Amino acid sequence: MTDPSFLAPLFRRWGKRTFLSEADIQALQSLPWTVRAFERDSYLIREGDSPPDCRLLLQGFACRHKIVRDGARQIVSIHIPSEFVDLQNCLLPESDHSVQALTRGEMGSVPKAALMEVAEANPKIGRAMWWDTLIDSSVFREWVVNVGRRDARSRIAHLICELAARMEACGLGDNGSYDFPLTQEKLADATGLTPVHTNRVLQSLRKDELISLSFQSLKVLDWERLRQVGEFSDRYLHQAA
Amino acid sequence: MTDPSFLAPLFRRWGKRTFLSEADIQALQSLPWTVRAFERDSYLIREGDSPPDCRLLLQGFACRHKIVRDGARQIVSIHIPSEFVDLQNCLLPESDHSVQALTRGEMGSVPKAALMEVAEANPKIGRAMWWDTLIDSSVFREWVVNVGRRDARSRIAHLICELAARMEACGLGDNGSYDFPLTQEKLADATGLTPVHTNRVLQSLRKDELISLSFQSLKVLDWERLRQVGEFSDRYLHQAA
DNA sequence: CGTATTGTTGAGCGTAGTCAAAGTTAGTGG
DNA sequence: CCACTAACTTTGACTACGCTCAACAATACG
């Protein structure tokens, strides 16, 4: 068994909404985890795979995406450390989308059968896992709204707000500054825009002094106005206080 | 206790992917269900509610939607009989979206605490519920792709394919004909388009003899070409064979 | 230091939006 | 059963947001 301290961020996140007993923690830690580094842009899962493991993001960033026929890509979510990237594979036999690294990082893998056994024997863990997939769902719903009914400026502002809020909640923010793992091309793929237009919107957000963003580093200069531009409310994130 | 036969469609759907024991069925049936009719356009749940019950759609159609600031609406999913419309409320305390009836119909309500107890005591039921929410997730992901990266014609064709495929799987199709619960305005709200443009696309799909659609009744005239136009593959529905 | 990736700019275009009005159908009540 | 009304669908003219293509600049990285 690997040193299980790498699970601490997960327990910290889950602990905010539910009290986990020592037995719960023990049960998860004693699973046969394997920890592996990954490179930027490497695929963690490909659409159509039936992976035997579940993967937990420990360091770095990843996204889920789908490719449409003409080769265009739509990113459907972005993941930060302490999040599972494919919990649905515990039950659904075949992956309906790909998971790709946005940066270098590290992930933990655990056989899904073993994870499901622990989830069934320890209801709090099972609930925490289910809960995580429900949050994913809620974020997907908000993304449908984002690409379906907001203009380019709002879409980008909203996505920036979401990432900042989620990173803040995980202690990954530093006084309004955040690692921003998306290139402009990927930001475009997440918002349903083109890279060119994304670039122009970012320039406008910078000119209006809402954000400063260059080379993977984001600073939110005016939270309140950025929120308004993005019509952002964190209700859908269901974050514990 | 109400006559529990109204749960039969749910058991039929779940039974396709998992064998349910008599005990499982008994446990669900003996819950304190209440059955209620609802009118077209009535709200089953409003964003911000914390309902004490979970709702199962028995007859008729419903959708989930969110409203953005300028009053525009985005429908994020459509539900057909035998589906829960708010299973996530079992765990998440506050609803992040509204559920509204598309047609008249009937739903069953059950206290979420009682449902969760049964889910924990009968792992197969718990899994079936979790599975359902995972399918929801997968559909949301596909909708992000649909509104994010497909043109108007593909979006509408894709949505039609999805509804037809799901209804077919539940025995709600009749030789390529289906009840179609969406007005053009709502179809627009589901695809991120305007009603006017939706109207023009529908006319074009009719002219090309892919579908005939008038007044809540849809007939798919050419499945293969409609699939191609919508780039539809049913993988993301994870339907049992 | 050289090369690939990422970001920026400009000009022209097209898909889908907007607005407004008319036509059609369903539902309701007399 | 018909008349009336509200909801839904259709049409036309005009507009605009975001896309395309292409070239160039800046940055990261080996």
Side-chain angles (χ1 to χ4, degrees):
Chain A
M1 190 182 84
T2 322
D3 169 23
S5 59
F6 65 88
L7 290 177
L10 176 67
F11 292 136
R12 201 175 313 125
R13 191 165 60 77
W14 281 0
K16 283 188 190 171
R17 49 187 199 229
T18 319
F19 174 77
L20 295 173
S21 69
E22 263 310 309
D24 293 324
I25 290 172
Q26 266 305 318
L28 256 185
Q29 283 186 337
S30 56
L31 286 172
W33 291 92
T34 56
V35 174
R36 235 186 56 210
F38 55 78
E39 285 304 306
R40 178 164 189 269
D41 288 339
S42 61
Y43 275 81
L44 309 188
I45 297 156
R46 278 179 194 275
E47 181 172 348
D49 283 358
S50 301
D53 299 319
C54 262
R55 290 156 164 80
L56 174 66
L57 196 53
L58 302 173
Q59 275 178 47
F61 296 86
C63 70
R64 311 187 189 196
H65 74 239
K66 293 187 165 199
I67 305 287
V68 296
R69 197 179 34 199
D70 65 3
R73 173 176 61 176
Q74 177 68 44
I75 292 176
V76 298
S77 68
I78 296 177
H79 292 281
I80 68 179
S82 86
E83 296 180 348
F84 283 95
V85 295
D86 65 339
L87 211 40
Q88 77 284 345
N89 288 333
C90 282
L91 283 180
L92 303 181
E94 194 177 64
S95 183
D96 53 75
H97 62 279
S98 299
V99 179
Q100 193 174 13
L102 291 167
T103 62
R104 292 182 172 185
E106 218 175 61
M107 64 177 181
S109 294
V110 63
K112 62 187 193 182
L115 186 58
M116 284 303 282
E117 276 169 35
V118 165
E120 232 151 76
N122 305 65
K124 280 206 189 126
I125 291 177
R127 283 192 187 203
M129 288 167 57
W130 189 8
W131 188 307
D132 273 4
T133 63
L134 292 177
I135 303 281
D136 281 350
S137 261
S138 181
V139 173
F140 293 140
R141 285 191 288 272
E142 187 64 30
W143 280 46
V144 173
V145 175
N146 207 36
V147 294
R149 283 286 181 242
R150 294 198 183 105
D151 67 15
R153 189 174 164 89
S154 291
R155 280 187 220 182
I156 289 177
H158 190 279
L159 180 59
I160 289 173
C161 287
E162 178 186 309
L163 278 177
R166 287 166 55 201
M167 289 174 73
E168 197 68 59
C170 282
L172 294 171
D174 174 19
N175 195 27
S177 289
Y178 308 90
D179 279 345
F180 193 78
L182 297 169
T183 61
Q184 291 185 6
E185 188 184 4
K186 280 164 181 163
L187 183 52
D189 286 339
T191 48
L193 300 167
T194 55
V196 171
H197 199 62
T198 299
N199 177 279
R200 289 177 171 135
V201 170
L202 284 177
Q203 286 181 54
S204 144
L205 293 176
R206 281 192 281 244
K207 184 177 61 83
D208 296 345
E209 296 181 311
L210 297 173
I211 59 167
S212 79
L213 171 60
S214 53
F215 310 108
Q216 326 288 38
S217 178
L218 166 73
K219 189 161 177 66
V220 176
L221 301 176
D222 189 332
W223 246 116
E224 199 38 45
R225 279 168 60 222
L226 188 64
R227 263 180 117 89
Q228 279 171 20
V229 170
E231 305 180 19
F232 179 78
S233 149
D234 66 358
R235 168 169 9 219
Y236 74 97
L237 295 175
H238 299 273
Q239 287 167 340
Chain B
M1 192 182 83
T2 323
D3 168 23
S5 60
F6 65 89
L7 291 177
L10 177 66
F11 293 137
R12 202 177 312 125
R13 190 164 61 75
W14 282 358
K16 281 186 188 170
R17 48 185 199 227
T18 320
F19 174 78
L20 295 173
S21 69
E22 263 311 308
D24 293 324
I25 289 172
Q26 266 305 317
L28 256 186
Q29 283 185 338
S30 54
L31 286 171
W33 291 92
T34 56
V35 173
R36 233 186 58 209
F38 54 79
E39 286 303 307
R40 180 164 189 270
D41 288 337
S42 60
Y43 276 81
L44 309 189
I45 297 156
R46 279 180 194 273
E47 181 171 350
D49 283 358
S50 302
D53 298 319
C54 260
R55 291 155 164 81
L56 175 66
L57 195 53
L58 301 173
Q59 274 176 48
F61 297 86
C63 70
R64 310 188 189 195
H65 73 240
K66 293 187 164 197
I67 306 287
V68 296
R69 198 178 36 198
D70 65 1
R73 173 176 60 178
Q74 177 68 45
I75 293 177
V76 299
S77 69
I78 297 178
H79 293 281
I80 67 179
S82 86
E83 296 180 349
F84 283 95
V85 295
D86 64 341
L87 213 38
Q88 76 283 346
N89 288 331
C90 282
L91 284 180
L92 302 182
E94 194 178 64
S95 183
D96 54 74
H97 62 280
S98 300
V99 181
Q100 191 173 15
L102 291 167
T103 62
R104 293 183 169 184
E106 220 175 58
M107 64 176 180
S109 292
V110 64
K112 62 186 192 182
L115 187 57
M116 285 302 282
E117 276 169 33
V118 165
E120 231 151 75
N122 305 66
K124 279 204 188 128
I125 291 177
R127 283 193 188 204
M129 288 166 57
W130 188 11
W131 188 307
D132 273 4
T133 62
L134 292 176
I135 303 281
D136 280 351
S137 261
S138 180
V139 173
F140 293 138
R141 285 190 287 271
E142 187 64 31
W143 280 46
V144 174
V145 175
N146 206 37
V147 295
R149 283 287 181 238
R150 294 197 183 105
D151 67 15
R153 191 175 162 86
S154 291
R155 278 187 222 183
I156 290 178
H158 190 278
L159 180 59
I160 290 173
C161 286
E162 178 187 309
L163 278 178
R166 286 166 56 200
M167 292 176 71
E168 196 67 59
C170 284
L172 294 171
D174 174 19
N175 195 27
S177 290
Y178 309 89
D179 279 345
F180 193 79
L182 298 171
T183 62
Q184 290 183 10
E185 190 185 3
K186 282 165 181 162
L187 185 51
D189 285 339
T191 48
L193 300 167
T194 54
V196 171
H197 197 62
T198 300
N199 179 278
R200 291 180 169 132
V201 170
L202 283 177
Q203 287 181 53
S204 144
L205 293 176
R206 282 192 280 245
K207 185 178 59 82
D208 295 347
E209 297 183 308
L210 297 174
I211 59 167
S212 79
L213 170 60
S214 51
F215 308 108
Q216 326 288 40
S217 177
L218 167 73
K219 191 161 176 67
V220 176
L221 301 176
D222 190 332
W223 245 115
E224 198 39 44
R225 278 169 58 224
L226 188 64
R227 266 181 115 88
Q228 280 170 20
V229 170
E231 305 181 19
F232 179 78
S233 150
D234 67 358
R235 169 181 313 188
Y236 75 98
L237 295 175
H238 298 274
Q239 287 169 337

